[in-house]
Amino acid sequence: MCYSAGSSFIASAGLATMGVASFRVADKKHKALAMIPIAFSIQQAFEGFQWISLGSGGVSFLAAYGFLFFAFLFWPVYVPITIFELDDKRKRFMRWLVGLGVAVSAILFSSLVFEPLSVTVRNSSICYDIYVPFWLAVSLVYILVTCGAFFFSSKPGLQWFGIILTLSMLFSGLFFFYAFTSVWCFFSAVLSSLLYFYIRSESK
């Protein structure tokens, strides 16, 4: 998240509340979807702790790698798998997205293991700087498997969520390119609370 530890922890608490509410109203088929706000809550908490460390003049690499675990490894796999399980009409396409998500996650995992990580503050946002091979291609595939899993779903509610998620990605890239990972994850986290309304409607 950008700006402060307080905003990250407030977002984390709000997402945890929405996630629990989503999980309670979800039927068995939608439980995995309901876990998305909860996972974002944990990710935002990691960034809150990072802000505390930066405010003390240091960097918490535990918080940094915890945050990037979700950004780099968890989301590109969890999102397409979740939609694959939900959408019976797009199984073949979603299966391809799952495979691409695993490939992207593997490349990003290699960066986390073998490349140095720098964590700095720029314009009141946290910048996670790390070398990623073929970064443009990896970024495009990452967007495809995360936004595309929703956007290309056969379910209108998920399609609309995919459109909003894509718009948040474009906004983050245009105006916060220097801290894209942090800012887009924050916007995505906040938007994930909207899944509560979809889950409540579909689980009746």
Side-chain angles (χ1 to χ4, degrees), residues 72-73 77 100-111:
F72 282 14
L73 309 182
V77 176
L100 289 172
V102 171
V104 165
S105 182
I107 293 172
L108 294 173
F109 177 75
S110 69
S111 291

Side-chain angles (χ1 to χ4, degrees), residues 23-54:
F23 197 81
R24 285 180 174 176
V25 300
D27 58 19
K28 184 177 180 180
K29 188 175 183 179
H30 291 86
K31 291 294 186 185
L33 190 66
M35 289 298 299
I36 288 179
I38 296 174
F40 268 124
S41 172
I42 299 170
Q43 185 179 17
Q44 288 303 306
F46 275 122
E47 188 141 88
F49 288 117
Q50 186 64 260
W51 274 115
I52 292 174
S53 294
L54 290 168

Side-chain angles (χ1 to χ4, degrees), residues 1-27:
M1 161 56 182
C2 45
Y3 305 128
S4 69
S7 53
S8 291
F9 287 128
I10 289 171
S12 178
L15 288 164
T17 301
M18 292 301 294
V20 171
S22 300
F23 197 81
R24 285 180 174 176
V25 300
D27 58 19

Side-chain angles (χ1 to χ4, degrees), residues 1-5 7-8 43-55 58-60 63-65 67-68 117-129 176-186:
M1 161 56 182
C2 45
Y3 305 128
S4 69
S7 53
S8 291
Q43 185 179 17
Q44 288 303 306
F46 275 122
E47 188 141 88
F49 288 117
Q50 186 64 260
W51 274 115
I52 292 174
S53 294
L54 290 168
V59 172
S60 171
Y65 283 109
F67 180 89
L68 292 177
L117 171 64
S118 172
V119 182
T120 57
V121 177
R122 181 179 176 186
N123 295 336
S124 300
S125 298
I126 295 180
C127 303
Y128 299 92
D129 293 318
F176 300 96
F177 60 91
Y178 51 85
F180 177 76
T181 301
S182 175
V183 174
W184 187 34
C185 280
F186 174 73

